[in-house]
Amino acid sequence: MNPDWIYGLVGGLLIGTGGAVYLLANGRIMGASGIIGGLVDGSGRDTMWERLSFLAGLVLIPIVLLGLLGPKETHATSNFVLLIAAGLLVGVGTRLANGCTSGHGVCGISRMSLRGMVATVFYILAGGLTVVLFRHLLGII
C-alpha cells in the first residue's frame, strides 16, 4: 500500500494546527504573504522576530524532514526558468488577491470568511486552468 496520502493528511493537519496556534497566540491570521510583506515594506517591524521565526520554520522544517524521511517525488518540472516564472506569477497573484493560500484558504475558510472562500475558489480555478493550458494543451510542463 502506498502511504503517500498519509503525508498529505498529516501535512494538512499540521498546517491547520499551525494556523490555529498562530491565531490564538498572536490574534493574527497566518498568511505567509502578509508575514513576508510586512518584512519587505517595513510595516511589520514591531513583530519582526515573530515573522522571521515563522519564515525560518518554513525553510528549516522541510530540510529536517528531508534528512529524516529522505527525498520525495514532487512531479515538479526541472525547468528552472519555468519555476521562477511560476513563483513570480504566484507572487503577483497573492498581491492582487490581498493574500495567499494560507491566509485565504486555510485561515479564511476556517473562519467562514466569504472573501477567503471566494479567493480560494478563484485561485484553485486559475491553477487548474494553468495546468490544462500548459501541460495538456501546450505540452510545456
Side-chain angles (χ1 to χ4, degrees):
M1 180 170 92
N2 187 349
D4 286 348
W5 66 271
I6 295 172
Y7 295 131
L9 176 65
V10 171
L13 290 171
L14 288 172
I15 291 169
T17 302
V21 168
Y22 196 84
L23 180 62
L24 292 172
N26 302 310
R28 289 188 294 278
I29 300 298
M30 181 197 71
S33 62
I35 291 169
I36 294 169
L39 289 171
V40 172
D41 68 13
S43 65
R45 282 192 199 106
D46 56 331
T47 58
M48 180 179 68
W49 294 111
E50 169 190 312
R51 291 168 187 263
L52 289 172
S53 297
F54 179 85
L55 294 175
L58 287 179
V59 172
L60 295 176
I61 295 299
I63 293 170
V64 169
L65 290 175
L66 179 64
L68 292 173
L69 302 174
K72 298 295 175 196
E73 180 64 38
T74 64
H75 303 288
T77 181
S78 59
N79 183 338
F80 289 111
V81 173
L82 191 60
L83 287 173
I84 291 169
L88 290 172
L89 288 171
V90 167
V92 169
T94 58
R95 191 69 177 159
L96 290 172
N98 291 322
C100 59
T101 55
S102 57
H104 285 307
V106 175
C107 299
I109 291 175
S110 65
R111 293 182 308 112
M112 301 298 289
S113 165
L114 180 60
R115 181 175 163 218
M117 289 183 219
V118 170
T120 302
V121 166
F122 277 98
Y123 66 67
I124 295 294
L125 283 173
L129 289 173
T130 301
V131 168
V132 168
L133 176 66
F134 285 98
R135 177 169 286 165
H136 300 293
L137 297 178
L138 299 177
I140 294 175
I141 303 174

